[in-house]
Amino acid sequence: MYSTQQLATLSGVSARTLRYYDQIGLLTPPLAANGYRQYGPAEVDRLQLILTYRALGFALADIRTLLDQPPAQRVQALAQQREKLLANRRLVDQQLAQLEVTLTNQKGESNMPDTEKFAAFKQAQIKANDEAYGNEVTAKYGNAAKAAADARFAGLSEAQYNAMTVAETQLKTALLAYLTAPALPGADAAAAYHAHREWLLATTPQLTPVMHRGLAAMYVADPRFTAYYTKLTGSKQAAAALQAIVDYYAIEE
């Protein structure tokens, strides 16, 4: 059995934190005869899980719920958290690749032409996208279509890439406006549709209405795509709203 201070020393968690965990019902030890907290094997094991989940990025409220769930649900939650962490790692990898090129250029250590510097960043993005969505895109549209899209993205000029970024910004603005007052048809919905279409055409010139609707459906079906549009707009309804917009406007010519 451990006292609060003894467990704090053993675990590296402050005594204040242990008392707080008790207050919020996260780690509630029994009391000894003298009225002080005492931590046994069960509490030690629970603290180890709490610290593990904290290290993986779970919020305390989520950890409390997670610890009370059956093992299968814990595994599912861990798998979802793994996907989030992988997405974060891919983002950091992209940022590091861009930073390395920028540092090299700023320090005057690079003789690469601008096109090659820009290509390094694009290749990092292609790699990250392939790790995140490559299997789904290949399964849905085939290897040839995916390879063509990757090649087109790699061959974008800086001006074309910037135009893609502008289209994404326009999409965000239009989606936010649409979410404030949804209306189909409507000016905001049309603006969101055209911005999204321009964004996709940069890498998929063969884009058809059927393909466009299929991609929009993936945004709702796949939580990774949904998370992207949630992050882009700050709204969990963004992916579903975009799907509704694309379904309305993406019709055969």
Side-chain angles (χ1 to χ4, degrees), residues 69-128:
Q69 290 179 341
Q73 292 182 331
R74 293 187 198 175
V75 170
Q76 182 180 9
L78 287 171
Q80 292 173 345
Q81 190 71 2
R82 179 179 181 273
E83 290 301 319
K84 291 180 183 179
L85 292 175
L86 286 172
N88 289 338
R89 185 175 72 180
R90 287 189 289 266
L91 176 60
V92 171
D93 287 343
Q94 291 178 33
Q95 293 171 333
L96 285 173
Q98 185 180 20
L99 178 60
E100 288 299 328
V101 171
T102 302
L103 276 174
T104 301
N105 184 48
Q106 291 294 310
K107 289 159 62 177
E109 298 175 354
S110 173
N111 295 318
M112 290 190 300
D114 291 341
T115 52
E116 290 185 21
K117 298 171 189 174
F118 193 62
F121 180 50
K122 289 187 291 185
Q123 287 300 327
Q125 288 185 302
I126 290 173
K127 180 181 178 182

Side-chain angles (χ1 to χ4, degrees), residues 6-78:
Q6 288 170 335
L7 185 58
T9 301
L10 175 68
S11 65
V13 175
S14 70
R16 181 179 179 181
T17 297
L18 291 175
R19 288 191 289 269
Y20 176 67
Y21 286 173
D22 188 5
Q23 291 171 7
I24 64 174
L26 184 60
L27 180 63
T28 306
L31 299 180
N34 59 9
Y36 289 101
R37 298 175 180 88
Q38 58 178 6
Y39 296 85
E43 289 75 35
V44 172
D45 289 346
R46 186 176 175 91
L47 178 60
Q48 190 273 331
L49 284 175
I50 291 170
L51 297 181
T52 298
Y53 290 138
R54 284 292 283 161
L56 292 173
F58 285 94
L60 289 179
D62 294 333
I63 293 173
R64 183 168 54 187
T65 301
L66 193 59
L67 289 175
D68 293 333
Q69 290 179 341
Q73 292 182 331
R74 293 187 198 175
V75 170
Q76 182 180 9
L78 287 171

Side-chain angles (χ1 to χ4, degrees), residues 147-219:
D150 287 347
R152 183 170 176 82
F153 183 79
L156 289 176
S157 68
E158 186 167 358
Q160 288 172 317
Y161 182 83
N162 288 338
M164 234 181 120
T165 303
V166 169
E168 184 182 39
T169 301
Q170 291 173 339
L171 171 61
K172 174 182 177 179
T173 300
L175 260 182
L176 285 171
Y178 173 83
L179 288 166
T180 301
L184 278 173
D188 295 327
Y193 167 72
H194 289 296
H196 189 249
R197 186 172 182 274
E198 288 302 313
W199 186 48
L200 292 175
L201 283 171
T203 55
T204 314
Q206 73 276 22
L207 182 72
T208 66
V210 172
M211 291 175 64
H212 199 171
R213 292 195 301 271
L215 286 169
M218 286 176 62
Y219 299 159

